[in-house]
Amino acid sequence: MLVAISIRNLAVVESVQLHFHRGFHVLTGETGAGKSIIIDALGLIGGARGSSDFVRYGCDRAEVEASFDLPGDHPVWHALSRLGIQADRDELLIIRRELTAQGKSLCRINGQMVNLTMLREVGELLINIHGQHEHHSLLKVERHLEWLDAYGGEELAAIKRRYREDFGCFMALQHELNQLKETSQQAYQMLDLYRFQIEELNNAQLKIGEDECLSEEKRKLANAEKLMDSVNNAYERLYAQGAMDSVNLALSKLEDVMVYDTVKFQPMVEQLQSAYYQLEDAAYQLRDYRENIEFNPVRLEQIEERLDQLTSLKRKYGSTVEEMLQYLQRIEAEADKIEHKDERIAALEKEAQERLAKLTRKAEALTNTRRQLANELTARIEAELQHLHMERTRLDVRLDRLQGEHGFDVGGVPVRFTKNGWDDAEFLISPNPGEPLRPLHKIASGGELSRIMLAMKTIFAEVDRVPVIIFDEVDTGVSGRAAQAIAEKLAWVSRSGQVFAITHLPQVACMADHQYYIEKQVRDERTSTQVTELDETGRIAELARMLGGVEVTERTLHHAQEMLKLAERQKGA
């Protein structure tokens, strides 16, 4: 549940701290008092886009912070872990959103910076806002399949994932097939180029690391005379000029007197012995190296020619031998594809037919599951609508196959496959007995759409496990018994989740467990919105205002008190 929210400098709200409870909450107040700003604040917490227009005039930034108390098995904890956000399931989840006057947005979850996409992914699991005009989404036929699939939950999602695996493979195969079929004269011209490049690279007999080895050998051959002079000179100084003999003589003298002062001379003798052996080893290495120094102008010329060849190839095919070999593999594959185009097309077409048959079976399985879900969903919506005084309304979901001239032949019909299958869904309604089912968007009134949406939200609340459900004036366009039915339905939904509603109807407000009054105040020529949680006396006064308008009388106060008592009895029943 949503435990608390803090709002600072958001639109006309200067500073508001609210604590919430379980059950059904209503926000009431005069039109224009700022009730929707509270919903906007929760929308920002849920990942809605913000702008500098949200920042209170004259302020640097707007801040919204909300804390949630959630069970350990709620899906949001898994989402946080997958996003790399540290969170303790035994503690509150805290989300903070800041908007600057320059239009920048800062998002934090448990103090960790996140981007808006990450916040939205988390927010969708926490807050579901049913906006004042959201029932218009029922008029968008393209969203009807989305509604149906959402009702299917994980069962349908698993079937859809299996379908999408085959869909992805099939479309990749079709893409390759189309590319091969569109191979033109230009491709055959490329084949000539590929053949020339393949021959040139193969004739070069490239070896990884060859250029480095040749460069090293070139340095030695080009400087053979200098190497010989320096190495020979060093060797002569060690042997011919008696450097080692001098060390050996010094060692002999020290050994003669070491018996008189072993403590002092023993370390020196050991150092000289070590130096002698090291000098001797160095002299042998110099001798061996001198004997292997090669004066070979012919080999040097060969190396220079080979390095020039490699440099020329690098300018065309890659900066290293390894890159050139990778390029060779790639163009060999491309050339093979062009040369064997017809055979490849025949093989791909055969495979495409097999995959199309498999994809068709998966699409049919998806359709059959959707038909079952559609029957179940419409039956449940009709049952909910009975409680909302639309007892005789009938609903159905029409599922048609997507067709088009660019579709794939399935049983002689060009069918279009999408990542969601081949189905096109549309809700149909018959609000009155004896009338045929017709498209929802053509005949449903605003009040009917609001109640249908509420019925669907009631059902989906059990599916998506979103703990906070917000209804922004869902009762627009209804009154009387229908308004009372909506109020009872909202109270019922709040038993499985925390429900917030903005309302102007006393029938809805009286059914709430908690009521908040929003009003505008002017201080020092600045307007600000204040929010007050009402006690029983405050609720009676506010309900009386909603019943009587400007003038509150003893009769409206008494009526308001009776409405609250009746609402408590209805909720208890």
Side-chain angles (χ1 to χ4, degrees):
M1 61 173 279
L2 175 64
V3 177
I5 188 170
S6 172
I7 308 170
R8 294 185 67 247
N9 300 325
L10 184 70
V12 293
V13 174
E14 183 177 6
S15 180
V16 166
Q17 287 81 36
L18 298 174
H19 293 272
F20 301 116
H21 318 274
R22 298 188 183 280
F24 180 23
H25 305 65
V26 292
L27 308 176
T28 62
E30 297 285 358
T31 299
K35 298 184 292 298
S36 293
I37 296 173
I38 309 300
I39 306 302
D40 291 338
L42 288 169
L44 291 173
I45 290 295
R49 290 198 172 276
S51 70
S52 58
D53 295 334
F54 280 88
V55 181
R56 181 173 169 82
Y57 177 74
C59 299
D60 294 332
R61 66 184 60 234
E63 302 172 359
V64 183
E65 183 173 283
S67 54
F68 296 84
D69 185 7
L70 303 166
D73 63 344
H74 193 275
V76 74
W77 301 115
H78 175 70
L80 291 172
S81 176
R82 180 167 44 78
L83 294 171
I85 301 171
Q86 296 180 352
D88 189 338
R89 302 190 181 204
D90 295 326
E91 296 181 356
L92 295 178
L93 177 64
I94 299 175
I95 298 179
R96 182 179 179 85
R97 184 84 180 271
E98 298 178 15
L99 298 174
T100 68
Q102 292 74 36
K104 294 183 178 179
S105 175
L106 300 175
C107 316
R108 291 183 175 86
I109 299 178
N110 279 4
Q112 300 172 65
M113 292 283 291
V114 297
N115 57 39
L116 191 59
T117 301
M118 296 166 68
L119 178 61
R120 189 177 296 118
E121 186 172 342
V122 172
E124 288 175 350
L125 300 172
L126 298 175
I127 300 173
N128 189 328
I129 299 179
H130 172 37
Q132 184 174 355
H133 304 292
E134 188 182 327
H135 60 262
H136 292 169
S137 65
L138 282 175
L139 303 180
K140 298 178 181 178
V141 178
E142 63 271 17
R143 290 200 60 190
H144 290 186
L145 187 66
E146 179 184 331
W147 284 103
L148 180 60
D149 286 0
Y151 177 72
E154 182 56 33
E155 176 190 358
L156 185 70
I159 298 173
K160 192 185 289 187
R161 281 195 297 271
R162 292 192 291 271
Y163 165 84
R164 283 181 175 176
E165 289 176 2
D166 288 318
F167 175 74
C169 294
F170 178 71
M171 294 308 295
L173 188 148
Q174 283 295 324
H175 178 70
E176 183 180 358
L177 189 57
N178 291 336
Q179 280 189 322
L180 284 174
K181 289 181 176 180
E182 292 170 1
T183 300
S184 60
Q185 182 180 1
Q186 184 180 3
Y188 285 107
Q189 292 172 350
M190 288 299 298
L191 178 60
D192 292 335
L193 176 62
Y194 288 154
R195 285 170 176 165
F196 170 79
Q197 292 176 338
I198 290 169
E199 182 179 4
E200 185 176 32
L201 288 169
N202 281 330
N203 289 339
Q205 296 182 335
L206 300 172
K207 297 177 183 177
I208 294 176
E210 179 188 11
D211 47 352
E212 289 88 350
C213 293
L214 289 174
S215 296
E216 179 66 23
E217 187 178 356
K218 177 185 174 181
R219 279 193 296 272
K220 292 178 182 179
L221 288 171
N223 296 280
E225 185 175 346
K226 186 176 180 180
L227 279 170
M228 176 61 77
D229 183 61
S230 297
V231 170
N232 187 61
N233 188 275
Y235 178 75
E236 290 294 330
R237 287 183 179 277
L238 288 177
Y239 260 106
Q241 297 182 21
M244 293 183 61
D245 290 339
S246 297
V247 175
N248 193 32
L249 180 60
L251 183 60
S252 177
K253 294 296 183 182
L254 287 179
E255 287 175 341
D256 289 343
V257 297
M258 189 171 62
V259 294
Y260 303 117
D261 193 348
T262 306
V263 174
K264 289 292 185 180
F265 290 123
Q266 180 69 34
M268 296 181 194
V269 169
E270 292 176 354
Q271 283 181 317
L272 286 172
Q273 287 176 337
S274 177
Y276 180 83
Y277 293 135
Q278 289 180 12
L279 287 170
E280 185 179 47
D281 182 62
Y284 290 156
Q285 290 184 52
L286 287 169
R287 183 194 63 195
D288 294 341
Y289 189 90
R290 181 188 64 184
E291 294 175 354
N292 290 314
I293 293 176
E294 182 180 6
F295 294 92
N296 192 340
V298 175
R299 174 59 181 162
L300 179 59
E301 185 179 354
Q302 291 174 346
I303 290 174
E304 289 177 341
E305 289 178 356
R306 178 61 171 171
L307 287 174
D308 288 343
Q309 181 188 19
L310 293 177
T311 300
S312 176
L313 292 173
K314 286 178 181 179
R315 283 196 293 265
K316 292 189 285 185
Y317 304 122
S319 58
T320 66
V321 174
E322 186 174 8
E323 287 183 7
M324 289 192 288
L325 290 172
Q326 290 173 353
Y327 178 76
L328 174 60
Q329 289 181 338
R330 187 164 67 251
I331 62 175
E332 283 178 336
E334 289 294 326
D336 182 73
K337 186 184 294 185
I338 297 173
E339 287 176 335
H340 300 89
K341 185 190 76 166
D342 294 337
E343 296 92 327
R344 180 62 177 162
I345 287 176
L348 287 178
E349 286 180 336
K350 181 180 179 182
E351 184 180 355
Q353 289 300 317
E354 294 172 353
R355 288 194 175 274
L356 178 60
K358 186 177 180 182
L359 186 64
T360 299
R361 291 193 295 271
K362 294 289 180 66
E364 286 176 343
L366 194 55
T367 299
N368 292 335
T369 303
R370 281 176 173 149
R371 291 193 188 282
Q372 296 173 5
L373 290 170
N375 292 334
E376 182 181 333
L377 176 60
T378 53
R380 292 191 62 181
I381 294 175
E382 288 175 357
E384 294 292 340
L385 290 177
Q386 289 184 8
H387 299 291
L388 295 170
H389 294 280
M390 294 178 67
E391 300 91 344
R392 298 189 175 187
T393 299
R394 288 190 303 119
L395 283 175
D396 194 12
V397 179
R398 182 173 63 200
L399 285 175
D400 295 321
R401 287 185 184 179
L402 294 167
Q403 298 182 11
E405 57 179 305
H406 300 296
F408 298 96
D409 185 7
V410 178
V413 178
V415 177
R416 280 196 302 115
F417 291 89
T418 71
K419 65 178 182 178
N420 294 316
W422 60 16
D423 294 320
D424 182 25
E426 183 174 11
F427 282 86
L428 307 177
I429 185 173
S430 171
N432 301 305
E435 294 183 359
L437 289 163
R438 295 178 181 175
L440 186 67
H441 68 279
K442 290 186 177 180
I443 61 173
S445 67
E448 288 170 336
L449 287 172
S450 294
R451 281 178 281 176
I452 293 171
M453 178 61 79
L454 178 55
M456 295 179 71
K457 288 287 184 179
T458 302
I459 296 168
F460 287 120
E462 304 170 10
V463 176
D464 54 26
R465 293 191 65 193
V466 175
V468 180
I469 305 175
I470 300 168
F471 295 93
D472 185 1
E473 299 192 20
V474 70
D475 48 28
T476 299
V478 297
S479 59
R481 291 177 58 199
Q484 181 62 35
I486 288 176
E488 293 173 1
K489 184 57 63 179
L490 290 171
W492 176 262
V493 174
S494 70
R495 296 188 178 191
S496 58
Q498 201 177 21
V499 172
F500 294 80
I502 289 179
T503 184
H504 291 284
L505 297 180
Q507 298 99 315
V508 175
C510 70
M511 288 294 290
D513 301 308
H514 312 279
Q515 186 168 352
Y516 297 80
Y517 179 62
I518 291 91
E519 62 177 335
K520 281 185 179 178
Q521 295 181 350
V522 180
R523 286 198 297 265
D524 299 327
E525 297 186 355
R526 287 297 303 271
T527 301
S528 63
T529 292
Q530 301 295 319
V531 184
T532 305
E533 183 175 1
L534 300 177
D535 57 15
E536 184 176 357
T537 302
R539 291 192 68 185
I540 292 172
E542 171 61 3
L543 282 173
R545 181 197 65 79
M546 297 173 74
L547 285 165
V550 177
E551 184 177 357
V552 177
T553 65
E554 288 295 327
R555 177 172 293 182
T556 54
L557 286 170
H558 179 72
H559 188 187
Q561 189 174 18
E562 287 297 315
M563 287 184 71
L564 282 176
K565 290 180 179 178
L566 179 61
E568 288 301 319
R569 287 199 296 270
Q570 288 175 313
K571 287 189 289 185

